[in-house]
Amino acid sequence: MNFKIPLLSVLVLMYFNTSAQRQMERLTRGLVAVNKGGDSVYVGWRLFATDPDNISFNLYRSSGSAKALKLNKKPITESTNYVDIKVDPNKPTTYFVKALIDGKEREVSKPFTLPANAPAQQYLNIPLKTPQGYSPNDASAADLDGDGEYELVVHMAGRGRDTPANGFTDPAIFQAYKMDGTLLWEINLGKNIREGAHYTQFMVYDLDGDGRAEFSCKTGDGTKDGLGKFVGDSSKDWRNNQGKIIAGPEYFTVFSGRTGAALASAEYIPNRYPTNGWGGVGGNSGNDDNANRVDRMLACVAYLDGIRPSVIMCRGYYGRSVLAAWDYRNGKLSSRWVFDSQNGQNPYSGMGYHSVSVADVDNDGKDEIVYGAMVVDDNGKGLFTTGLRHGDALHVSDLDPTKPGLEVFGIHENETNAHGPGAALFNALTGEIYWTGSKGQDVGRGVAADIDPSSPGAECWWSGSRSLRSIKGDSIGPNPSSTNFLVWWDGDLSRELLDGNHVDKYKKGRIFTAEGCRSNNGTKSTPALSADLFGDWREEIVFRTEDNNNLRIYTTTIPTRHRIYTLMHDPQYRLSIAWQNVGYNQPPHPGFFLGTDMTKPPKPNIKFIPATLSK
C-alpha cells in the first residue's frame, strides 16, 4: 500500500524552505597530527560550514622554546590537511593553524602536541576502565562539557540475550570518556533493563541548548546514575523466572553529560501493554506474548521544530509501531507528540526496521523520521508508507543527484508477501518506488554509496544482488567484497568499504587494517563508531582492542585535495551519529550527495551554541 503526495505539493515543499536556524554544537578546529614514520607528520583540521568561501589557513609548527615556524609558503586553500616533513622525532612537536580571511590572520586553533619519540601509529588510544566480564560495544560522540571537543559514551556490554531468548542478562553499563582517557562517569541501568541489541538504545545530544550534551535512554527501577543515586525503587526486581521483564514501571530518563546525574525522568511512552499486541508473523496481533516483539526498541534525535532537537523513543516494528517525541527544556521533560499505528489493519503497521534514520525529506528545515518502509512527518503524522514492510538495513541520502530531493534504499524480509521485493529504492518524500530487486527473497544486508567513480550517483548492492547495481538499478560490475559499513578514508570522493577491522576499496582491495582490534556485534562486524570526529571531512573509525581495555580512534593519513566542511555540520549526518548505535548499526550519510562529480555542498542553516566555548 503506497500513499503518495501530489506532485504540486512536492514542488512546493522542495523549493519553499522557510527554516529557522538549527542549534549546533560549537567545535574547535579539531587539529590532529599523526607521525607517519621517519621525519614525516600528517596534520588535519576542520573547515566549518559557517566559514566564508575565501577562508584559507596558515599552519605553524613549534618545537621546544624555538619560535613557531610557518610551514606553508602560500595560504592553504585547497584542503584542510598537510604533510610536514623534516620533523625531528626526538623532540615534542606542537602544531596550530591560523585562519585567514581577506588575507589577514584571525582566530588561532587549539594546538596539538606530538610527544617526543611518538610511535608511527595512526590512532589515538583511549584507556578504558572496563568492568570485569564486560566488553566495550557501541559508542556515541558528543561534546559533554562544552569545550568544543568530542567525548565518547561507550556501552559496556556484558552477558546479553536476544528478545526471543530466555535467561538472565548482566546490567547494561554506560561510561563517558574524554579523549585522553579521563572517565567522566558510569551509569548502571540495573537488573530491570535487559541487555541486548534491541533493548538499550541510547541518545547522546545537546537537548536543551546549553552547549553540553545530555545522555538519555530507557531506564527502570534500580537504574543508578553517575552520582550513585537511583531512578525509581532500587529494591524492586521485576524479572520473571525466565529472566524476562513484562511487568513493572518503565521510564525515560535524561542524564547530565558532564556528571551522569539523572536530571529528569518520565513514564516511558508507550508502555508495553498489551504485551501480545505488537505483532507476530505477518504483523498480526495475539500470537507473540513472550516479551519478544514488545521489547523491540529504536530511538533517534530530530529537529522537529527546525530549531531545537527532540528525542524520539520508539517501540515495535513488526506490527504495532509507536514513536514518542520528547522535548527536554529548562530541566523538564515534556511530550511533544505520539505516533501510534495501533494495529495490523493500519497501513503504517509492520513497516519498521531494525534501524532508523532522520532526514528533512520535504526541505522545510524540520526533520522527518524514516522508520523503515514508512516516514513520519515532523508533526507526528504519517507522511507515507510504501507497504514494503520490515527489513534490516536502511540508507537515506541524495543517492541519485539527477533526481530532486532524497532517496531511500532499503532491504526487506518479505515475511508476508512471497512476491514482494527484497530490495527497493524509493523517493523519501513521496514513497514513489523507483526500482526493486530480489523478488520474494528475505534479504539480510544491503548498502548504498558511491563506491565506483565510473558510475554516476550512488551504487547499491545487497545479499543476493549478484552484482553491483547503479542508482538506476542496472548491473554494472562485480559484487563488492563486503555488504556492511562504509567510510570516507582515502583522498578521493568515493566511499570505501568498512568491514570487521579493515577498509577495502572497490576493485582495488585492502587499503587499511586496524591490527590488534576487533569489531562488534558478531557477524555484523561493526565498529564501535564511525564518524567525522576531528581532522578534515573524512571519517574516523573507533575500534576496541582485542583485550577490551582500550578504544582506538583511527584516522586517515592520506592527503586529499578536496576541501569540504566537517560532516558534523551537516544536520542529517550529525543526527546519524546519534542514531548509529541503534538496533542493527548502519553507516552515516549526509543530506547531500558526496561522491565523484559532486556539486558544492549546500550551506546548512545552523547557529552555534554556546556563544563561546567552556574553559
Side-chain angles (χ1 to χ4, degrees), residues 409-427:
F409 175 75
I411 56 174
H412 305 274
E413 290 188 358
N414 283 307
E415 82 278 26
T416 66
N417 186 356
H419 304 289
L425 181 79
F426 62 88
N427 185 299

Side-chain angles (χ1 to χ4, degrees), residues 558-572:
I558 303 171
T560 181
R561 296 191 304 167
H562 300 286
R563 188 170 92 156
I564 300 173
Y565 58 76
T566 173
L567 298 185
M568 297 298 252
H569 279 173
D570 175 70
Q572 181 176 323

Side-chain angles (χ1 to χ4, degrees), residues 56 107 110 112 215 313 374 381 383 415 448 470 538 567:
S56 58
E107 42 110 350
K110 183 177 179 180
F112 185 98
F215 169 82
M313 301 300 289
M374 70 180 188
K381 307 296 183 183
L383 190 62
E415 82 278 26
S470 74
R538 292 169 298 172
L567 298 185

